[in-house]
Amino acid sequence: MRGIRLLITLMVLLCILGFGFFLGSVLRKAAPPPQPPQIHNTATILRQVQTLSQLVTVKYVMEKVVRLEDFKWYGESRVVLIAHCFVKAGVDLITIQPEDIELSENKIILKLPPPLITDVYLDDKRTQILERSTGMLRQFDKDLEQNARSQAVDDIRRSARYSGILRDAEERARAQLTNLFTQLGFAEVEFRDPYSKSPASTP
């Protein structure tokens, strides 16, 4: 008697499972195909228009390995990345004043503003994480990588200065402007010291 009850219970369970598989198969066929993620095309708003007057004359491509560690008594977090960075430099022509320019029939004397670094940014496609580790008792620090990237930009900016990017920017600015003024008809182009406080017209 007990064996008959067990057999009946087993048959009922098999019927329920079979019906479940059948129902799932029917619902799977009847369900619509999965849709790809929808991208909503929202409006793009123009907030500001700025006039650019920077004459960018040189670009350095630099790499640096940055190791950033955060030690706590209960563990250490560490990130090591190789930063691929672009550094641009040039002169800002909008700062030129009328007294910085002296014109004669075939000659122009120009006092250029001091060169400056105009932009420093990482190439995200070529910047790579070499190592990332989090101690067993530490929580993942989402800001550690961002801090390493910021440190890389600051270090590479300083390295570009030490490597002479400002000198190169000034030399190339003079060469480009000399070529421009020569095409405009000036036979002679002269540049005054950008750090001089005296106007260009002063002999």
Side-chain angles (χ1 to χ4, degrees):
M1 187 70 178
R2 187 175 182 181
I4 295 176
R5 289 182 179 179
L6 183 61
L7 181 61
I8 294 175
T9 302
L10 182 60
M11 291 179 63
V12 171
L13 290 176
L14 290 176
C15 291
I16 294 175
L17 289 175
F19 180 75
F21 283 124
F22 172 75
L23 183 61
S25 177
V26 172
L27 292 177
R28 191 180 302 112
K29 293 180 180 179
Q35 298 295 325
Q38 295 184 358
I39 301 176
H40 298 280
N41 188 14
T42 58
T44 302
I45 301 175
L46 178 62
R47 292 293 189 184
Q48 188 177 18
V49 177
Q50 294 182 344
T51 301
L52 300 180
S53 59
Q54 294 174 341
L55 175 62
V56 178
T57 57
V58 65
K59 179 175 75 173
Y60 279 14
V61 181
M62 309 183 74
E63 284 188 344
K64 178 180 178 62
V65 176
V66 177
R67 178 187 179 100
L68 190 60
E69 299 175 333
D70 182 27
F71 292 99
K72 297 289 190 298
W73 66 269
Y74 50 87
E76 171 193 359
S77 293
R78 179 173 62 251
V79 62
V80 181
L81 64 84
I82 178 168
H84 190 90
C85 195
F86 297 121
V87 187
K88 297 180 180 180
V91 293
D92 192 357
L93 300 180
I94 200 172
T95 61
I96 296 178
Q97 302 297 318
E99 59 268 22
D100 296 330
I101 303 174
E102 181 181 349
L103 299 174
S104 63
E105 184 176 354
N106 294 316
K107 181 178 180 180
I108 179 172
I109 302 175
L110 179 64
K111 178 185 174 183
L112 285 179
L116 73 161
I117 293 178
T118 60
D119 200 8
V120 184
Y121 59 94
L122 293 178
D123 183 355
D124 291 329
K125 293 183 179 179
R126 302 184 64 178
T127 297
Q128 302 177 10
I129 301 296
L130 301 181
E131 180 185 351
R132 182 191 288 112
S133 62
T134 303
M136 293 183 60
L137 301 179
R138 296 287 303 272
Q139 292 184 348
F140 176 72
D141 188 355
K142 60 182 178 60
D143 295 327
L144 197 60
E145 179 181 338
Q146 185 61 38
N147 293 338
R149 289 173 175 266
S150 298
Q151 179 178 323
V153 169
D154 293 339
D155 291 346
I156 289 176
R157 184 194 303 270
R158 286 192 293 268
S159 297
R161 286 181 177 272
Y162 295 148
S163 299
I165 191 173
L166 296 181
R167 180 188 63 249
D168 291 343
E170 182 179 354
E171 291 177 355
R172 298 190 184 193
R174 291 189 178 196
Q176 291 184 22
L177 291 174
T178 297
N179 182 56
L180 173 63
F181 290 133
T182 300
Q183 294 182 9
L184 292 176
F186 290 95
E188 186 177 355
V189 181
E190 180 181 332
F191 294 95
R192 295 292 177 87
D193 182 4
Y195 300 98
S196 173
K197 295 183 179 180
S198 58
S201 58
T202 302

